[in-house]
Amino acid sequence: MAKPLNIGMIGYGFMGRAHSNAYAKVSHFFPNTHTPVLKALCARNAERGKEFADKWGYESVETDWRKLLERDDIDAVDICTPNNLHKEIAIAAAQAGKMILCEKPLAMDVAEGEQMCEAVEKAGVVNMVWYNYRRVPAVTLAKQLIDEGRLGRIFHYRANFLQDWTISADVPQGGEGLWRLDAEAAGSGVTGDLLAHCIDTALWLNGGMKDVNAMTETFIKERTHQATGEVTKVTIDDACAFMCHFNNGSLGLFESTRYARGHKALYTFEINGEHASISWDLHDLGRLNYFDHKDDSLVRGWHSVHVTDTDMPYMGNWWVPGLQIGYEHSFVHQVADFLKSLETGEPAHPTFRDALETQKICDGVLKSAAERKWVDIK
């Protein structure tokens, strides 16, 4: 029988739901030596925490994350809090000997991220960061094709992540549900929230970056703070675009904004290589678009690969070929890989140390935009 892995989750927002759903489903489709048990949920609001816990099947509720870490019946801590709480909780969890699954981005900045990496490495605890887009089967297939050399030498990588939900000046900043618009809680705006996903995927698919040159903009300069009712200066970036050189010699273009009317969550990337190109779109996440120059000229062109066959990444554990899965399943795959790592002893990527590389680029992007110059990534 599988060994129970008792989960203590801190936070219960959008990501709390996504993670809870993944824990509940994973063992039905990816049986492993460990089975997640939703042991405790931690929420500052006890009443709402209990409502969430009852809905998702958590056995108990805490209102102080420190008490959660003191419990002997918690094996792994899932940090689903605003970014400014990641460091303190993660370091304390490591010192308590708990496994840690932390939401992205890793930290508020590189300095915090370094402290978190040192803490988990000193304690020797298993750790992972929730960059879930790596686990979309079509994206994982893209990684496979690149690693097999099918694209040849890579020349270009371009990605964007576009939303439109903050265009109205009436949207408040800060407070419950809107902490992503408050630099004190989030650290940055679209750079850490959206571009961090694009960057992590790019590092995984195309390797490290040498340098960046960025620009950012805050379109609405003042907003009412939801928690205080005061009109205060907006200090997050509403939009960001940057260029980069990758270590492999390819060029990169990245853009993210919350001011692209008509887009709720448009995440796309395209990679152009010597022999072939690939592209992917979150809105059609079950397909990978592929162009191979070696095809006969009469039929050469972009074609759409429907990623559902059983020999494709993760798909053998789901339905029959032709039946697509969705966004939620990327989290199931991440939990499945985490559980597998407990069996094999191999790290579940991205680890804290992996995610620190994304943090370095985010910091470099913001520094470049502020100083209006190229910044080396070290």
Side-chain angles (χ1 to χ4, degrees), residues 57-75:
Y58 285 87
E59 296 178 10
S60 60
V61 175
E62 298 283 358
T63 55
D64 184 341
W65 60 263
R66 294 171 183 82
K67 291 184 178 179
L68 180 76
L69 299 186
E70 293 172 356
R71 289 177 49 163
D72 293 332
D73 62 346
I74 299 297
D75 301 313

Side-chain angles (χ1 to χ4, degrees), residues 337-374:
D337 289 345
F338 181 82
L339 298 178
K340 189 67 175 178
S341 76
L342 302 183
E343 177 185 342
T344 65
E346 295 295 321
H349 297 283
T351 63
F352 278 26
R353 186 61 66 179
D354 296 330
L356 184 63
E357 293 306 306
T358 295
Q359 194 76 53
K360 289 178 181 178
I361 294 165
C362 288
D363 282 19
V365 163
L366 296 173
K367 177 179 172 66
S368 171
E371 299 180 0
R372 294 175 175 261
K373 67 179 185 181
W374 283 93

Side-chain angles (χ1 to χ4, degrees), residues 16-305:
R17 289 191 294 141
H19 296 188
S20 298
N21 179 67
Y23 292 130
K25 286 188 174 181
V26 66
S27 295
H28 295 295
F29 295 93
F30 295 84
N32 213 296
T33 56
H34 291 75
T35 298
V37 175
L38 301 182
K39 184 61 66 172
L41 174 78
C42 185
R44 283 175 290 193
N45 185 307
E47 182 178 349
R48 292 172 62 184
K50 186 177 186 308
E51 180 181 348
F52 184 94
D54 290 344
K55 180 176 182 178
W56 288 97
Y58 285 87
E59 296 178 10
S60 60
V61 175
E62 298 283 358
T63 55
D64 184 341
W65 60 263
R66 294 171 183 82
K67 291 184 178 179
L68 180 76
L69 299 186
E70 293 172 356
R71 289 177 49 163
D72 293 332
D73 62 346
I74 299 297
D75 301 313
V77 173
D78 191 336
I79 303 173
C80 289
T81 66
N83 304 338
N84 61 330
L85 299 176
H86 288 186
K87 184 191 80 167
E88 184 180 11
I89 297 174
I91 291 175
Q95 292 171 344
K98 310 297 186 185
M99 306 176 198
I100 308 172
L101 303 92
C102 184
E103 250 307 320
K104 50 64 59 183
L106 177 64
M108 297 282 277
D109 53 38
V110 170
E112 283 195 0
E114 286 280 8
Q115 294 177 58
M116 294 167 70
C117 289
E118 291 170 4
V120 296
E121 289 164 2
K122 180 180 179 181
V125 296
V126 176
N127 58 92
M128 184 183 71
V129 178
W130 289 91
Y131 280 111
N132 60 294
Y133 290 109
R134 294 187 181 202
R135 267 76 179 195
V136 173
V139 177
T140 311
L141 179 60
K143 170 70 169 172
Q144 179 180 324
L145 297 178
I146 293 169
D147 289 349
E148 290 175 357
R150 295 186 185 228
L151 274 64
R153 178 185 174 189
I154 305 298
F155 298 124
H156 294 284
Y157 191 110
R158 61 186 67 85
N160 60 27
F161 207 138
L162 311 180
Q163 298 181 340
D164 70 355
W165 63 278
T166 62
I167 291 178
S168 172
D170 294 332
V171 176
Q173 65 170 328
E176 187 174 347
L178 292 169
W179 60 266
R180 288 178 177 83
L181 303 188
D182 184 353
E184 293 295 319
S188 67
V190 295
T191 298
D193 186 29
L194 304 180
L195 274 179
H197 274 303
C198 300
I199 293 166
D200 174 77
T201 307
L203 296 181
W204 188 53
L205 296 177
N206 199 40
M209 296 180 191
K210 292 171 58 178
D211 54 16
V212 297
N213 193 342
M215 60 180 177
T216 61
E217 184 58 64
T218 303
F219 295 111
I220 296 177
K221 309 301 183 183
E222 293 183 333
R223 291 183 185 272
T224 301
H225 199 287
Q226 184 177 224
T228 65
E230 297 179 4
V231 176
T232 56
K233 182 180 179 181
V234 177
T235 55
I236 62 161
D237 45 301
D238 289 329
C240 177
F242 76 92
M243 305 179 290
C244 74
H245 294 96
F246 284 90
N247 292 337
N248 64 6
S250 60
L251 304 181
L253 287 172
F254 294 78
E255 180 191 9
S256 185
T257 180
R258 294 188 180 124
Y259 284 70
R261 182 65 81 191
H263 293 296
K264 303 305 178 186
L266 179 72
Y267 174 22
T268 67
F269 66 75
E270 180 173 321
I271 308 172
N272 305 127
E274 177 185 8
H275 305 307
S277 293
I278 54 178
S279 69
W280 175 79
D281 183 342
L282 176 59
H283 287 174
D284 195 9
L285 85 174
R287 293 185 179 273
L288 183 68
N289 298 307
Y290 184 73
F291 176 93
D292 194 333
H293 187 67
K294 296 194 296 293
D295 289 343
D296 186 281
S297 61
L298 293 177
V299 295
R300 184 185 299 144
W302 284 92
H303 64 271
S304 175
V305 180

